[in-house]
Short mmCIF file of all heavy atoms in Angstrom, two decimals:
data_model
loop_
_atom_site.label_atom_id
_atom_site.label_comp_id
_atom_site.label_asym_id
_atom_site.label_seq_id
_atom_site.Cartn_x
_atom_site.Cartn_y
_atom_site.Cartn_z
N ARG A 220 1.17 -18.60 -3.04
CA ARG A 220 0.52 -18.88 -4.35
C ARG A 220 -0.82 -18.22 -4.46
O ARG A 220 -1.62 -18.21 -3.52
CB ARG A 220 0.45 -20.42 -4.41
CG ARG A 220 -0.26 -21.00 -5.62
CD ARG A 220 0.81 -21.45 -6.67
NE ARG A 220 0.05 -21.81 -7.85
CZ ARG A 220 -0.19 -20.99 -8.89
NH1 ARG A 220 0.35 -19.81 -8.85
NH2 ARG A 220 -0.85 -21.42 -9.93
N ASP A 221 -1.14 -17.70 -5.66
CA ASP A 221 -2.35 -17.05 -5.89
C ASP A 221 -2.85 -17.58 -7.34
O ASP A 221 -2.19 -17.24 -8.30
CB ASP A 221 -2.24 -15.55 -5.92
CG ASP A 221 -3.52 -14.85 -6.28
OD1 ASP A 221 -4.60 -15.48 -6.25
OD2 ASP A 221 -3.48 -13.64 -6.55
N PRO A 222 -3.95 -18.30 -7.36
CA PRO A 222 -4.36 -18.74 -8.71
C PRO A 222 -4.69 -17.60 -9.66
O PRO A 222 -4.64 -17.86 -10.91
CB PRO A 222 -5.70 -19.49 -8.37
CG PRO A 222 -5.91 -19.43 -6.89
CD PRO A 222 -4.82 -18.66 -6.25
N LYS A 223 -4.79 -16.40 -9.10
CA LYS A 223 -5.07 -15.24 -10.10
C LYS A 223 -3.77 -14.68 -10.67
O LYS A 223 -3.81 -13.73 -11.50
CB LYS A 223 -5.83 -14.15 -9.37
CG LYS A 223 -7.20 -14.52 -8.92
CD LYS A 223 -7.85 -13.32 -8.25
CE LYS A 223 -9.19 -13.70 -7.71
NZ LYS A 223 -9.42 -12.98 -6.41
N ASP A 224 -2.57 -15.13 -10.17
CA ASP A 224 -1.33 -14.66 -10.71
C ASP A 224 -0.51 -15.89 -11.04
O ASP A 224 0.09 -16.51 -10.09
CB ASP A 224 -0.63 -13.69 -9.80
CG ASP A 224 0.76 -13.35 -10.29
OD1 ASP A 224 1.23 -13.79 -11.39
OD2 ASP A 224 1.49 -12.55 -9.65
N MET A 225 -0.44 -16.28 -12.26
CA MET A 225 0.25 -17.60 -12.66
C MET A 225 1.74 -17.58 -12.33
O MET A 225 2.40 -18.65 -12.33
CB MET A 225 0.01 -17.90 -14.10
CG MET A 225 -1.39 -18.21 -14.50
SD MET A 225 -2.03 -19.54 -13.50
CE MET A 225 -1.16 -20.93 -14.22
N THR A 226 2.34 -16.38 -12.14
CA THR A 226 3.75 -16.39 -11.79
C THR A 226 4.06 -16.48 -10.39
O THR A 226 5.24 -16.44 -9.95
CB THR A 226 4.43 -15.06 -12.36
OG1 THR A 226 3.83 -13.99 -11.72
CG2 THR A 226 4.28 -14.92 -13.83
N THR A 227 2.96 -16.57 -9.50
CA THR A 227 3.32 -16.69 -8.09
C THR A 227 3.99 -18.13 -7.80
O THR A 227 3.56 -19.13 -8.47
CB THR A 227 2.08 -16.58 -7.19
OG1 THR A 227 1.04 -17.27 -7.69
CG2 THR A 227 1.70 -15.12 -6.95
N LEU A 228 4.89 -18.09 -6.89
CA LEU A 228 5.56 -19.36 -6.54
C LEU A 228 4.74 -20.07 -5.50
O LEU A 228 3.99 -19.50 -4.77
CB LEU A 228 6.88 -19.04 -5.92
CG LEU A 228 7.99 -18.33 -6.74
CD1 LEU A 228 9.07 -17.70 -6.00
CD2 LEU A 228 8.49 -19.25 -7.84
N PRO A 229 4.94 -21.37 -5.44
CA PRO A 229 4.25 -22.13 -4.38
C PRO A 229 4.65 -21.65 -3.05
O PRO A 229 5.77 -21.01 -2.91
CB PRO A 229 4.80 -23.60 -4.55
CG PRO A 229 5.44 -23.63 -5.93
CD PRO A 229 5.82 -22.23 -6.28
N ASP A 230 3.81 -21.78 -2.03
CA ASP A 230 4.16 -21.16 -0.67
C ASP A 230 5.49 -21.69 -0.24
O ASP A 230 5.67 -22.86 -0.08
CB ASP A 230 3.09 -21.61 0.32
CG ASP A 230 1.66 -21.18 -0.15
OD1 ASP A 230 1.57 -20.43 -1.11
OD2 ASP A 230 0.69 -21.65 0.50
N TYR A 231 6.35 -20.77 0.07
CA TYR A 231 7.61 -21.19 0.68
C TYR A 231 8.02 -20.34 1.82
O TYR A 231 8.82 -20.74 2.65
CB TYR A 231 8.75 -21.15 -0.46
CG TYR A 231 9.12 -19.68 -0.84
CD1 TYR A 231 10.02 -18.96 -0.11
CD2 TYR A 231 8.52 -19.16 -2.03
CE1 TYR A 231 10.26 -17.67 -0.50
CE2 TYR A 231 8.82 -17.81 -2.36
CZ TYR A 231 9.67 -17.11 -1.66
OH TYR A 231 9.90 -15.81 -1.97
N TYR A 232 7.37 -19.17 1.94
CA TYR A 232 7.89 -18.12 2.87
C TYR A 232 7.85 -18.78 4.28
O TYR A 232 8.83 -18.76 5.05
CB TYR A 232 7.10 -16.83 2.81
CG TYR A 232 7.73 -15.84 3.71
CD1 TYR A 232 8.86 -15.14 3.17
CD2 TYR A 232 7.32 -15.59 4.99
CE1 TYR A 232 9.46 -14.19 4.03
CE2 TYR A 232 8.00 -14.63 5.78
CZ TYR A 232 9.08 -13.99 5.33
OH TYR A 232 9.75 -13.04 6.14
N GLY A 233 6.66 -19.25 4.71
CA GLY A 233 6.52 -19.75 6.10
C GLY A 233 7.45 -20.89 6.36
O GLY A 233 7.87 -21.11 7.53
N GLU A 234 7.72 -21.72 5.34
CA GLU A 234 8.51 -22.98 5.55
C GLU A 234 10.03 -22.69 5.40
O GLU A 234 10.83 -23.65 5.68
CB GLU A 234 8.10 -24.07 4.60
CG GLU A 234 6.86 -24.78 4.87
CD GLU A 234 5.70 -24.36 4.06
OE1 GLU A 234 5.78 -24.55 2.85
OE2 GLU A 234 4.72 -23.77 4.54
N SER A 235 10.42 -21.47 5.07
CA SER A 235 11.89 -21.28 4.78
C SER A 235 12.69 -21.64 6.00
O SER A 235 12.38 -21.27 7.04
CB SER A 235 12.11 -19.82 4.46
OG SER A 235 11.21 -19.37 3.52
N LYS A 236 13.74 -22.35 5.75
CA LYS A 236 14.73 -22.66 6.77
C LYS A 236 15.74 -21.58 6.83
O LYS A 236 16.26 -21.13 5.74
CB LYS A 236 15.39 -23.98 6.60
CG LYS A 236 14.48 -25.13 6.87
CD LYS A 236 15.28 -26.47 7.06
CE LYS A 236 14.32 -27.62 7.06
NZ LYS A 236 13.69 -27.79 5.73
N VAL A 237 16.01 -21.06 8.01
CA VAL A 237 16.99 -19.95 8.07
C VAL A 237 18.31 -20.51 8.73
O VAL A 237 18.41 -20.71 9.86
CB VAL A 237 16.47 -18.84 9.01
CG1 VAL A 237 17.41 -17.68 9.07
CG2 VAL A 237 15.13 -18.28 8.43
N GLY A 238 19.20 -20.84 7.76
CA GLY A 238 20.50 -21.36 8.23
C GLY A 238 21.40 -20.26 8.77
O GLY A 238 21.10 -19.06 8.58
N LYS A 239 22.53 -20.65 9.31
CA LYS A 239 23.41 -19.66 9.77
C LYS A 239 24.30 -19.16 8.69
O LYS A 239 25.08 -20.00 8.01
CB LYS A 239 24.18 -20.23 10.98
CG LYS A 239 25.30 -19.36 11.57
CD LYS A 239 24.68 -18.54 12.82
CE LYS A 239 25.67 -17.60 13.39
NZ LYS A 239 25.69 -16.28 12.82
N ALA A 240 24.31 -17.87 8.34
CA ALA A 240 25.14 -17.30 7.29
C ALA A 240 26.58 -17.19 7.82
O ALA A 240 26.80 -16.96 9.02
CB ALA A 240 24.58 -15.97 6.85
N LYS A 241 27.50 -17.37 6.92
CA LYS A 241 28.97 -17.23 7.26
C LYS A 241 29.64 -16.15 6.43
O LYS A 241 30.40 -15.40 6.88
CB LYS A 241 29.71 -18.51 7.08
CG LYS A 241 29.26 -19.55 8.08
CD LYS A 241 30.18 -20.77 7.95
CE LYS A 241 29.61 -22.01 8.81
NZ LYS A 241 28.52 -22.61 8.09
N LYS A 242 29.36 -16.18 5.13
CA LYS A 242 30.09 -15.27 4.19
C LYS A 242 29.18 -14.25 3.59
O LYS A 242 28.14 -14.60 3.04
CB LYS A 242 30.69 -16.16 3.12
CG LYS A 242 31.78 -17.07 3.60
CD LYS A 242 32.36 -17.83 2.39
CE LYS A 242 33.32 -18.87 2.83
NZ LYS A 242 33.85 -19.66 1.75
N ILE A 243 29.67 -13.02 3.69
CA ILE A 243 28.88 -11.95 3.03
C ILE A 243 29.73 -11.30 1.95
O ILE A 243 30.91 -10.99 2.14
CB ILE A 243 28.53 -10.79 4.08
CG1 ILE A 243 27.93 -11.47 5.36
CG2 ILE A 243 27.71 -9.75 3.47
CD1 ILE A 243 26.64 -12.25 5.13
N GLY A 244 29.12 -11.20 0.78
CA GLY A 244 29.91 -10.59 -0.38
C GLY A 244 29.72 -9.11 -0.49
O GLY A 244 28.66 -8.55 -0.21
N VAL A 245 30.79 -8.44 -0.96
CA VAL A 245 30.66 -7.07 -1.37
C VAL A 245 31.16 -6.98 -2.79
O VAL A 245 32.12 -7.70 -3.11
CB VAL A 245 31.44 -6.02 -0.47
CG1 VAL A 245 30.78 -5.88 0.91
CG2 VAL A 245 32.85 -6.41 -0.39
N ILE A 246 30.54 -6.20 -3.63
CA ILE A 246 30.90 -6.17 -5.04
C ILE A 246 31.90 -5.21 -5.29
O ILE A 246 31.75 -3.99 -5.19
CB ILE A 246 29.61 -5.92 -5.88
CG1 ILE A 246 28.51 -6.99 -5.51
CG2 ILE A 246 29.93 -6.02 -7.30
CD1 ILE A 246 27.18 -6.72 -6.19
#
Side-chain angles (χ1 to χ4, degrees):
R220 179 98 186 93
D221 175 17
K223 292 182 186 145
D224 175 359
M225 292 307 287
T226 61
T227 44
L228 296 166
D230 301 351
Y231 68 85
Y232 188 83
E234 280 106 63
S235 313
K236 283 198 195 62
V237 180
K239 180 92 181 89
K241 291 189 189 74
K242 293 183 185 176
I243 311 302
V245 291
I246 305 174

